[in-house]
Structures are given as structure tokens and as C-alpha cells.
Amino acid sequence: MIGKNKSIVTLVGAGPGSSDLITIRGLKALENADIVLYDALVGKDILSYIDKSVPKIYVGKRSGKHSYSQNDINKLLVDAAFEYGHVVRLKGGDPFVFGRASEEIGYVESFGIPVSVIPGVTSAIAVPSSQGIPMTSRGVSSSFWVMTATKKDGSFSEDLKFAAKSSTTMVVLMGLSKLLEITDEVGRYRGAMTPIAVIQNGTLPDENCEVTTLKRASELLGRLKPGMPGVIIIGDVVAEHPSFFEEEVQRVLYSNF
Ligand SMILES: C[S@@+](CC[C@H](N)C(=O)[O-])C[C@H]1O[C@@H](n2cnc3c(N)ncnc32)[C@H](O)[C@@H]1O
């Protein structure tokens, strides 16, 4: 402890987007923060919960703003804890879902600074859920698999193939730029009529939800909003989305003329 306050770091999950989907415990941590380091949060409104006098540093990698490397962020966390006291590290969704939380915790703790984690509502489940798409459904899907399409080195993940070979509900994060490669790969193991949904900016007012089948996945490209993060859901549970059958019926009718 060098500054006037005890040096501690709290990793807080901000939830999937809408500012009222942060947990009460996360909110309390924000109210007690001496400084906040935040990512490219999907829902920026959450920042309004933080007192105006509290410094807020954007360390995200989106929006073409100055981007910090993971090493820069680790160092900044330690410097901020020594200088200010209580650092809240605000991360989208849950900190432990593709959030590099373990790296930050390891680095900060190596300086003897205690770290605690406040879980968040992950977009992987909450975004489909808020659209009425269940992860599991009795008699339809008894498991779900959350994955990213590419590995650390940028190569295509084998996990996608393993999941596609099973009957699990597939939830792919950070996959929009490879949407057609993903659907082609999954289409090798699942039927052409397998339902798929892409939900962008889930839980926010400008949310965009598109549902179709693997066969028609290429049509999704023109319907997606550039620059918005999205979750891809593949599996029969997507048919439970309120507009899935309506859209299919319209396509069948339309294709007859
Ligand atoms: C680096 S990962 C972080 C995930 C986060 N830790 C979580 O638990 O939601 C970022 C990806 O999460 C997904 N994502 C996060 N928020 C989203 C939202 N509101 N709508 C759609 N996708 C979202 C997108 O696939 C995005 O590329």
C-alpha cells in the first residue's frame, strides 16, 4: 500500500449489455471504486453508475481508440492500485468467459495485491435467453457448448467440429467475421435445416436478431449490422425463437412465386 487507500483490485462482470443486467454486488463495487478500468463494453450506460470524480480509463481494443496490450493493462492495474487504492476492472459479460481474467489476476497478485472477482451475466447465455432462445430444452437439447471459432494463433478451432458432431446447442462468440466458414463446417455434420440465430448488441435497444437455417446462412450476411458484436447460436433450440417458424413459412410461400 503506497497511496492513502488500501490497494485492492476487483474484477467485475458488467453483464451482457443493458446496464440493469449488472449484479447488485457489481454495482456496489462500482460505487466503492477509486478508479475504474473498463473494456469495450457493449452497454456504455453502466459507466453512469460511477461517480463523476472517479477516474475511468478505457483499456478496450475496439472502436479504433488507443489500444492497450494485455501487458499494458496488467501494469496499469498494479500502478492504479498503488496510486488510488480500490481498482475496479470492469469487463463485459462474465470476467472468466474469454476475458483474460486469469492473466490479470496472476499479475496483480504477484505484487501482493489482493484480487476478488464479482461474476457477471455472460452474453453467451443471456443474449439468446433474452430473445427467447433456450440453451437447453427438454427433448431437444440437453447441453450447450460455448466456444470461439478461432484459437489463439487465429487458426480454426477443432472444438467447432467436435461440437457440430454432437447434438449440443452451439454458442459461438467472436465468430461473426467467420460466419460462413463456421456454418460450412457445422453443415458438414448437421442437417441443412438446422436452425441458426445471430444476435448482435443483445439486450440493448438496437439489438439485431436474425434467425434462419444453415442452408440459408449466407443470406444472413446482408442482414447483419457492421461493427456490432454478435453471438451465433446453432441448434434445434433456435426453432423456439418466436419468429423462426413465421420466417420459414414466409420463405416457403415466397419461393413458390
Ligand atoms: C471477448 S468476448 C467476451 C465475452 C464476455 N466475457 C461475456 O461473458 O459475455 C466478446 C464477445 O462476446 C459476445 N458479446 C458480448 N456482448 C454481446 C452482446 N450484447 N450481444 C452479442 N454478443 C455479445 C460477442 O461474440 C463478442 O465478440
Side-chain angles (χ1 to χ4, degrees):
M1 182 179 137
I2 295 170
K4 58 182 171 29
N5 300 323
K6 184 177 184 295
S7 303
I8 52 166
V9 172
T10 310
L11 267 62
V12 175
S18 181
S19 59
D20 52 359
L21 288 173
I22 191 171
T23 66
I24 292 172
R25 194 184 293 185
L27 190 60
K28 285 181 180 163
L30 283 182
E31 286 166 358
N32 290 320
D34 295 317
I35 182 167
V36 176
L37 270 56
Y38 66 98
D39 277 346
L41 297 171
V42 181
K44 308 259 180 319
D45 283 359
I46 286 175
L47 300 177
S48 68
Y49 294 140
I50 306 163
D51 194 277
K52 285 195 174 58
S53 65
V54 173
K56 296 173 264 302
I57 304 178
Y58 172 81
V59 293
K61 299 177 179 71
R62 213 180 288 140
S63 309
K65 295 185 186 174
H66 173 74
S67 85
Y68 288 80
S69 70
Q70 190 59 50
N71 279 344
D72 293 337
I73 296 171
N74 293 350
K75 287 186 187 127
L76 195 57
L77 280 168
V78 170
D79 291 348
F82 283 141
E83 191 178 342
Y84 290 88
H86 184 200
V87 183
V88 167
R89 174 74 175 101
L90 191 59
K91 288 172 166 291
D94 181 85
F96 281 129
V97 179
F98 300 122
R100 305 191 70 169
S102 305
E103 291 160 64
E104 294 177 11
I105 293 169
Y107 187 83
V108 171
E109 284 183 342
S110 73
F111 287 81
I113 300 168
V115 182
S116 60
V117 179
I118 300 179
V121 177
T122 180
S123 64
I125 299 174
V127 166
S129 170
S130 71
Q131 275 288 335
I133 300 173
M135 292 288 95
T136 63
S137 185
R138 200 169 167 82
V140 179
S141 173
S142 59
S143 70
F144 56 92
W145 193 332
V146 178
M147 70 199 94
T148 176
T150 45
K151 295 189 284 191
K152 200 166 133 190
D153 61 6
S155 65
F156 222 53
S157 168
E158 287 272 289
D159 285 355
L160 198 75
K161 179 166 77 186
F162 296 134
K165 281 181 173 176
S166 76
S167 59
T168 195
T169 300
M170 301 174 68
V171 183
V172 186
L173 301 191
M174 299 176 283
L176 286 194
S177 63
K178 292 200 183 271
L179 181 62
L180 292 191
E181 283 163 86
I182 292 168
T183 52
D184 282 353
E185 178 72 1
V186 177
R188 293 171 62 201
Y189 307 100
R190 295 204 186 182
M193 296 310 285
T194 301
I196 173 171
V198 176
I199 308 167
Q200 296 179 280
N201 273 12
T203 77
L204 291 169
D206 59 350
E207 181 174 39
N208 179 34
C209 177
E210 302 290 345
V211 290
T212 187
T213 53
L214 283 181
K215 189 179 160 188
R216 296 178 179 275
S218 61
E219 295 170 14
L220 283 175
L221 291 183
R223 283 148 57 188
L224 298 183
K225 306 267 166 66
M228 282 188 182
V231 173
I232 303 166
I233 306 111
I234 305 173
D236 291 340
V237 289
V238 174
E240 295 190 28
H241 185 272
S243 67
F244 180 77
F245 281 108
E246 191 188 315
E247 296 214 4
E248 276 308 298
V249 167
Q250 282 187 8
R251 273 185 212 114
V252 170
L253 289 175
Y254 187 69
S255 66
N256 285 340
F257 294 99

